[in-house]
Amino acid sequence: MVFWVFGYGSLVWNPGFEYDEKVIGFIKDYRRVFDLACIDHRGTPEDPARTCTLEHIEGAVCWGAAYCVRGSPGKERAAMQYLERRECEYDQKTLVDFFKETDTLRPALSGVIVFTSTPDKVSNKYYLGPAPLEEMAWQIATAVGPCGNNRDYLFLLEKAMFDIGHEDDLVIELANEVRKVLGTMAKEKKLVGSPLKPLKSQTQAQIPSIQLHLLPPEAVAMDL
């Protein structure tokens, strides 16, 4: 038995399951967007993270990695159960054609599984929908969950897409905006958290008298 699954988010750099083959390529008519909430890995129910899902757009292309699992039914079942637990915010499994760079017209694989989400806030409680770039950046910069913070997810995806030679413009733009937010937060923290330094004149005048009060009389007499 065999199945293929397409990864376009954290699966690109961290599949987490036993696979037999990995192929870099793309699927058509989908683009990567950060419209899905994550409340158990990189965020919490109170402060959800923003993670990738796919938006169906004619003519779009989404690069990623396809993984093959072949062997016994038990091996296939274990891999799928792991993926379903990990991708629990995704409410759909879609079958797609997968293309390689060497032939962009004919699919290299058909029937490849990809985890997707219904773009509807009523039927899909994890769907956040689109938001302005600045708003998404603040959310990603501050969200933290049991598996780490949201910004690392974005930065690791940015690096993974660079490593496979197919960077994503939205990922780059969003990552740069998150870096701006982190820079602003660091400056504000420095301003708020910095203790006030005493004046030089105050320091020189006050420290000797404090030392005199702390030292025993005989020590003071010796110093004098």
Side-chain angles (χ1 to χ4, degrees):
M1 299 182 69
V2 59
F3 77 81
W4 286 84
V5 60
F6 178 72
Y8 55 92
S10 60
L11 289 177
V12 178
W13 77 85
N14 180 30
F17 61 94
E18 184 182 353
Y19 63 90
D20 297 282
E21 188 177 352
K22 176 181 179 179
V23 181
I24 302 302
F26 63 92
I27 61 175
K28 294 182 177 181
D29 299 328
Y30 288 96
R31 73 170 183 175
R32 186 184 288 105
V33 291
F34 288 81
D35 294 352
L36 194 67
C38 177
I39 62 172
D40 58 352
H41 288 83
R42 301 279 181 171
T44 63
E46 297 75 23
D47 296 297
R50 274 190 178 265
T51 53
C52 289
T53 185
L54 294 178
E55 182 180 26
H56 186 269
I57 295 184
E58 292 292 332
V61 166
C62 180
W63 284 87
Y67 297 92
C68 175
V69 178
R70 63 170 65 95
S72 67
K75 180 181 177 181
E76 181 179 340
R77 184 168 56 252
M80 183 55 66
Q81 287 175 346
Y82 167 81
L83 286 167
E84 288 174 343
R85 288 193 304 271
R86 173 170 166 170
E87 310 297 319
C88 60
E89 284 91 0
Y90 299 85
D91 62 340
Q92 294 181 339
K93 293 189 193 80
T94 304
L95 299 181
V96 297
D97 290 334
F98 175 83
F99 298 81
K100 296 169 68 173
E101 193 166 17
T102 52
D103 190 345
T104 61
L105 298 179
R106 291 179 298 179
L109 299 164
S110 294
V112 176
I113 300 167
V114 60
F115 286 84
T116 59
S117 57
T118 304
D120 182 82
K121 293 182 180 180
V122 176
S123 61
N124 182 1
K125 65 180 181 179
Y126 296 111
Y127 182 69
L128 296 173
L133 184 71
E134 296 80 7
E135 182 180 322
M136 290 195 295
W138 273 99
Q139 186 173 355
I140 292 171
T142 55
V144 181
C147 295
N149 56 58
N150 198 180
R151 60 183 179 269
D152 283 349
Y153 169 91
L154 175 61
F155 295 152
L156 287 168
L157 178 58
E158 180 187 35
K159 181 181 183 300
M161 299 310 296
F162 174 82
D163 289 343
I164 68 172
H166 294 282
E167 295 176 277
D168 185 305
D169 290 341
L170 174 60
V171 172
I172 294 171
E173 185 179 16
L174 188 53
N176 286 334
E177 192 66 29
V178 169
R179 292 185 181 99
K180 291 180 185 177
V181 172
L182 294 173
T184 300
M185 292 170 60
K187 289 179 182 178
E188 291 177 351
K189 183 177 180 181
K190 186 175 181 181
L191 288 172
V192 172
S194 298
L196 293 175
K197 294 183 179 179
L199 296 175
K200 186 176 181 181
S201 59
Q202 292 176 329
T203 304
Q204 292 174 338
Q206 294 173 3
I207 288 179
S209 62
I210 293 172
Q211 291 176 334
L212 288 174
H213 287 294
L214 292 177
L215 291 171
E218 60 270 23
V220 174
M222 291 175 62
D223 286 340
L224 292 176

